[in-house]
Amino acid sequence: MVFVWIGIIVVIATAVVLLVLQQRGQLSGLGERGRLPLEERTVFTLEVGDIVQYMGTDWVVEGQLTYNVGDYAWYEYLLQDGERICWLSVDEDDRVEVALLEPTQQLEMSGEPPKQLTFDGEIYRCVESGVADMTRTGTTLHRTAERCRYFDYEGENNKVLSIEEWDGDIEVTVGELINPRMLTLLPGTGERLYGS
């Protein structure tokens, strides 16, 4: 009879220990709390299907471009919200710089881009230019060449403008530098939402 009572006490004690571990989330495989958390995203680790929340808009990451100049690299993510698209540019030199840029057809470019230009009443000065090798993930619209020429401009009040030449096609984007802390980055499905 003593062994029966010892057996019952051991079973109850084991059940209590398992229940406490499960409630603390320390017991994997049992319930919602035992699941591993999703990997936290940064502006350097965004993937296709992730969500970028900014100023009330939920953008879906549809693709990523990596620009390489020697050992230096920076990123641009194609973001989409319905019919609207933009590029999230992420650059780290002495500090992290993040810009949100939208394509524009309102600036006609022919020939070599100038050192200074005026767009929408704002003066922009070229601060950097060169040729970058490209790698890509997901969709990147017309940016499909292996190399591109780029011209980066800065204006007043954190405004930025970019001119890129892809195998003869010129693309102009305009936007502003933003504080990366204003972005909420959420892991997604790993799949594109808007298709081709």
Side-chain angles (χ1 to χ4, degrees), residues 37-139:
L38 293 172
E39 182 180 334
E40 187 176 329
R41 295 290 194 249
T42 71
V43 290
F44 296 101
T45 62
L46 285 170
E47 297 179 5
V48 172
D50 288 349
I51 306 297
V52 176
Q53 295 177 329
Y54 179 67
M55 301 290 284
T57 302
D58 290 350
W59 298 96
V60 178
V61 177
E62 291 288 299
Q64 175 191 332
L65 281 169
T66 303
Y67 294 71
N68 295 287
V69 177
D71 293 334
Y72 183 69
W74 70 97
Y75 309 96
E76 285 192 8
Y77 300 96
L78 176 64
L79 305 182
Q80 189 164 354
D81 175 45
E83 295 298 313
R84 206 169 148 212
I85 64 165
C86 70
W87 291 95
L88 183 71
S89 175
V90 180
D91 187 4
E92 182 178 25
D93 198 354
D94 294 332
R95 61 190 173 100
V96 176
E97 284 192 350
V98 177
L100 197 63
L101 302 115
E102 295 192 44
T104 182
Q105 303 293 325
Q106 299 176 9
L107 182 63
E108 294 286 330
M109 288 305 306
S110 60
E112 190 75 9
K115 295 291 182 194
Q116 179 175 304
L117 58 81
T118 301
F119 175 76
D120 200 24
E122 300 283 341
I123 296 173
Y124 293 85
R125 289 176 181 78
C126 186
V127 293
E128 190 173 350
S129 63
V131 177
D133 294 317
M134 310 305 302
T135 57
R136 61 191 46 78
T137 304
T139 187

Side-chain angles (χ1 to χ4, degrees), residues 22-23 25 27-37:
Q22 180 183 4
Q23 288 177 344
L27 190 61
S28 63
L30 294 176
E32 196 67 32
R33 292 183 180 204
R35 293 187 184 168
L36 292 174

Side-chain angles (χ1 to χ4, degrees), residues 157-174:
N157 301 317
N158 291 323
K159 293 189 177 176
V160 291
L161 185 144
S162 177
I163 299 172
E164 295 182 355
E165 188 241 324
W166 298 82
D167 281 345
D169 291 330
I170 304 291
E171 182 177 288
V172 180
T173 54
V174 64

